[in-house]
RNA sequence: GUGGCUGUAGCUCAGUUGGCAGAGCACCGGGUUGUGGUCCCGGUUGUCGUGGGUUCAAUUCCCAUCAGUCACCCCA
């Protein structure tokens, strides 16, 4: 067998990177639970028609089929696809299990998702999302839209990563405004506005004319709206100053004011109303979120979501929801690439117990057992080589302590300082900071 | 899915106008009859991404493919 090669877009981390990932996941999970979100995992596959129900992502969905399936049925209505986000499976789950759930239902879900995109830095075909959603029956109170950024803000701020800024907008503002100025294709207008950062106002104006049929005056108004940005409710005055009126617009402004003011009270500096944020997914109907790391804006959004009123509905039952999702793999991939996220050692081991000779390995094993029984991650040296080599084994992996069993007295050495002291395996404890690898 | 750039040791890279493949770091051994990191001495490291083609000869030229990256698309 020839040497295996990586598969494009399916990243695999090193053990130290995986330790960081697990640490990050633990923190995110702890924060989600702190806010009372219940855990959920859904299957990896959904019926293809479910996946394609909303949005034009068909090209991205990975189909799944048996090797020996009948040749004529792999793409029928019953075909299965890997989910490409966690919101669509969740909406399906809610419909399927509505009878067993208490509403409003708050859940978190941390799972892999798959998208058949062309990969590049921070963009993968298989990646982890950490998602929270709240759904309710019939109507969903707008204050939930204000809670989302607070939760992920807490989660992200608990991590050793650069500070984040969550940009918030409301689809109703855009759609109401566009309608107010007489534009008929709000989707096309949104898509054009979404490129503002990348291609600049002049090109966006051209795009608006080409794809959304905007006149010069309409394009100018749309751009004026998109350029509004404020960390507080003052954005509302700026919007009204543009002189466009529409009931939907007013509704959107009211909702966004609430989100921004709530955030300003509980997490100053976290959120900013940014009326250019559009979000590609067309199932969003209200508040939308995007998140950037300060100083890493060029990496794009590492956490986004929004409110969806029509994703989960069957017959007369309607379950409006709001959710936001942290792109864990992107976050990590980008920071790994920038060398901005490291761990203090390559293994969980805190203590390496040296082996004096193979005949004495039992004594070392007993020391390790005593340490482990008190929660100290410990391994025994793989060989009874010279102590210098055993110390080096520990050093190479970043293991901070080496334990030397003695005939009468054991000793433990902190190999960073070189300090070596008598110790007893039944009582000795490392300082708290050394117990586990430090992520930073 | 479309187009551009890149691909030499574990890492960062040099190099061959087509003729036995290099440096630094890392790694291994010794200096040190059991205590590492500095220092000194010695050593290993590669199907030159993979598969074809042209050629007496290809790591070098050509084609394809895979991977990485960038733009489009889309988006975490």
């Amino acid at each position: 067998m020839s040497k295996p090669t990586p598969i494009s877009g399916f990243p695999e981390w090193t053990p130290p990177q995986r330790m960081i990932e697990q640490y990050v996941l633990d923190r995110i999970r702890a924060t989600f639970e702190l806010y009372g979100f219940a855990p959920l995992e859904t299957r990896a596959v959904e019926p293809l028609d479910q996946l394609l129900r909303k949005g034009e992502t068909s090209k991205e969905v990975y189909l799944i089929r048996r090797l020996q399936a009948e040749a004529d049925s792999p793409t029928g209505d019953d075909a299965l696809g890997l989910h490409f986000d966690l919101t669509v499976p969740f909406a399906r789950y809610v419909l399927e299990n509505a009878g067993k759930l208490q509403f409003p239902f708050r859940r978190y879900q941390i799972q892999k998702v798959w998208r058949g995109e062309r990969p590049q830095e921070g963009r993968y075909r298989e990646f982890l999302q950490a998602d929270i959603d709240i759904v309710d029956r019939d109507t969903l109170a707008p204050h939930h839209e204000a809670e989302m950024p607070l939760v992920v803000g807490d989660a992200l701020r608990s991590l050793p990563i650069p500070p984040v800024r969550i940009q918030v907008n409301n689809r109703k503002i855009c759609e109401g405004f566009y309608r107010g100025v007489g534009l008929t294709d709000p989707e096309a207008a949104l898509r054009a506005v979404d490129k503002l950062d990348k291609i600049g106002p002049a090109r966006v104006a051209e795009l608006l004319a080409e794809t959304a049929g905007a006149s010069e005056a309409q394009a100018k108004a749309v751009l004026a709206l998109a350029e509004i940005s404020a960390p507080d409710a003052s954005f509302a005055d700026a919007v009204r100053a543009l002189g466009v009126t529409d009931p939907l617009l007013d509704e959107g402004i009211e909702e966004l004011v609430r989100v921004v003011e709530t955030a300003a009270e509980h997490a100053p500096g976290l959120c900013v109303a940014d009326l250019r944020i559009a979000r590609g997914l067309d199932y969003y109907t209200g508040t939308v979120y995007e998140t950037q790391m300060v100083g890493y804006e060029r990496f794009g959004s590492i956490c986004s979501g929004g409110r969806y009123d029509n994703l989960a509905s069957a017959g007369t039952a309607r379950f409006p929801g709001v959710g936001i999702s942290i792109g864990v793999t992107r976050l990590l991939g980008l920071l790994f690439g920038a060398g901005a996220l490291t761990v203090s050692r390559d293994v969980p081991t805190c203590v390496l117990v040296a082996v004096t000779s193979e005949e004495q390995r039992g004594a070392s094993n007993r020391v390790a057992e005593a340490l482990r029984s008190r929660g100290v991650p410990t391994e025994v040296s793989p060989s009874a080589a010279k102590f210098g080599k055993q110390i080096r084994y520990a050093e190479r992996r970043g293991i901070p302590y080496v334990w030397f069993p003695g005939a009468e007295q054991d000793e433990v050495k902190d190999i960073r300082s070189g300090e070596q002291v008598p110790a007893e395996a039944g009582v000795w404890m490392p300082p708290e900071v050394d117990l586990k690898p430090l992520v930073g």
Side-chain angles (χ1 to χ4, degrees):
Chain A
M1 189 172 142
S2 58
K3 189 179 178 182
T5 54
I7 298 175
S8 187
F10 290 77
E12 294 181 310
W13 305 136
T14 61
Q17 289 173 326
R18 174 62 175 159
M19 290 202 293
I20 295 170
E21 183 174 59
Q22 284 180 322
Y23 172 87
V24 164
L25 292 173
D26 285 349
R27 301 304 293 261
I28 290 174
R29 186 163 83 108
T31 305
F32 288 172
E33 293 187 350
L34 205 51
Y35 277 82
F37 289 84
L40 183 70
E41 177 166 275
T42 60
R43 65 202 183 201
V45 294
E46 296 292 333
L48 192 56
D49 57 344
Q50 277 284 335
L51 293 173
L52 303 184
R53 214 155 51 85
K54 301 283 177 184
E56 285 299 317
T57 45
S58 56
K59 286 177 294 186
E60 292 185 357
V61 172
Y62 278 106
L63 283 179
I64 184 165
R65 63 160 207 263
R66 285 196 311 132
L67 192 56
Q68 311 222 4
E70 294 77 48
D72 57 345
S73 69
T75 53
D77 286 348
D78 56 343
L80 300 178
L82 294 172
H83 58 230
F84 59 86
D85 70 6
L86 300 177
T87 308
V88 169
F90 173 59
R92 187 270 311 160
Y93 180 91
V94 168
L95 287 176
E96 196 173 314
N97 298 281
K100 301 176 201 160
L101 304 174
Q102 306 292 324
F103 293 94
F105 178 47
R106 303 157 68 85
R107 80 92 178 79
Y108 73 87
Q109 198 170 338
I110 302 175
Q111 284 181 247
K112 289 270 178 69
V113 305
W114 297 269
R115 291 182 194 174
E117 292 186 287
R118 182 76 135 240
Q120 39 186 280
E121 187 171 37
R123 309 189 54 176
Y124 307 101
R125 290 172 157 170
E126 176 180 71
F127 58 97
L128 260 177
Q129 285 194 327
D131 188 286
I132 49 171
D133 280 87
I134 302 173
V135 293
D136 206 345
R137 200 187 284 272
D138 301 325
T139 59
L140 176 73
H143 61 79
H144 293 117
E145 289 160 77
E147 187 180 9
M148 293 287 121
L150 299 181
V151 183
V152 296
D154 259 9
L156 293 171
R157 284 175 169 186
S158 78
L159 299 173
I161 63 172
V164 297
R165 188 180 311 114
I166 301 178
Q167 300 158 298
V168 198
N169 192 7
N170 193 302
R171 278 280 173 88
K172 291 175 185 173
I173 294 179
C174 298
E175 288 187 30
F177 187 91
Y178 298 163
R179 197 164 68 190
V181 299
L183 280 173
T184 50
D185 188 351
E187 295 291 332
L190 276 175
R191 246 188 285 278
V193 167
D194 201 35
K195 300 190 199 321
L196 186 54
D197 275 334
K198 259 186 184 160
I199 63 178
R203 290 276 294 111
V204 170
E206 286 173 30
L207 259 183
L208 283 168
E210 287 165 25
T211 64
S215 71
E216 207 171 305
Q218 286 170 326
K220 206 176 154 195
V222 168
L223 277 170
L225 181 76
E227 274 160 8
I228 294 171
S229 170
D232 51 42
S234 69
F235 80 88
D237 301 328
V239 175
R240 294 204 178 90
L242 296 176
V244 176
T245 56
D246 183 276
L248 193 62
L249 173 60
D250 292 335
E251 211 177 298
I253 290 175
E254 197 181 317
E255 289 173 9
L256 188 54
V257 164
R258 180 162 196 168
V259 172
V260 173
E261 286 189 332
T262 303
E265 183 190 343
H266 295 283
L270 178 66
C271 282
V272 53
D274 200 324
L275 302 202
R276 78 184 57 189
I277 300 304
R279 304 271 64 237
L281 291 179
D282 54 11
Y283 54 67
Y284 293 126
T285 53
T287 308
V288 290
Y289 317 94
E290 275 199 8
T291 309
Q292 297 184 327
M293 283 187 283
V294 177
Y296 292 82
E297 286 81 2
R298 67 174 190 88
F299 286 165
S301 178
I302 52 131
C303 173
S304 60
R307 171 161 180 150
Y308 45 91
D309 281 343
N310 308 313
L311 195 54
S313 56
T316 55
R318 260 179 91 249
F319 299 92
V322 60
I324 190 164
S325 192
I326 301 173
V328 178
T329 307
R330 164 174 290 183
L331 180 72
L332 294 173
L334 295 171
L335 291 175
F336 289 158
L341 203 48
T342 56
V343 64
S344 60
R345 50 180 117 128
D346 289 359
V347 291
T349 313
C350 176
V351 178
L352 176 77
V353 183
V355 175
T356 311
S357 69
E358 284 305 332
E359 292 72 47
Q360 298 296 312
R361 180 170 289 276
S364 298
N365 286 338
R366 285 190 288 279
V367 169
E369 197 174 24
L371 291 170
R372 289 180 195 130
S373 74
R374 289 182 299 106
V376 181
T378 304
E379 64 180 292
V380 177
S381 177
S383 78
K386 287 196 213 171
F387 283 165
K389 289 214 179 156
Q390 298 193 44
I391 291 171
R392 196 151 65 161
Y393 174 96
E395 190 204 1
R396 292 283 142 80
R397 292 161 178 74
I399 299 170
Y401 296 97
V402 175
W403 190 284
F404 298 99
E408 279 137 42
Q409 175 71 66
D410 289 4
E411 296 195 341
V412 65
K413 179 189 189 83
D414 180 336
I415 65 174
R416 296 159 301 187
S417 66
E419 188 190 0
Q420 186 166 330
V421 296
E424 213 174 302
V427 287
W428 180 86
M429 278 298 280
E432 180 70 25
V433 289
D434 288 335
L435 205 52
K436 290 179 179 175
L438 238 51
V439 175

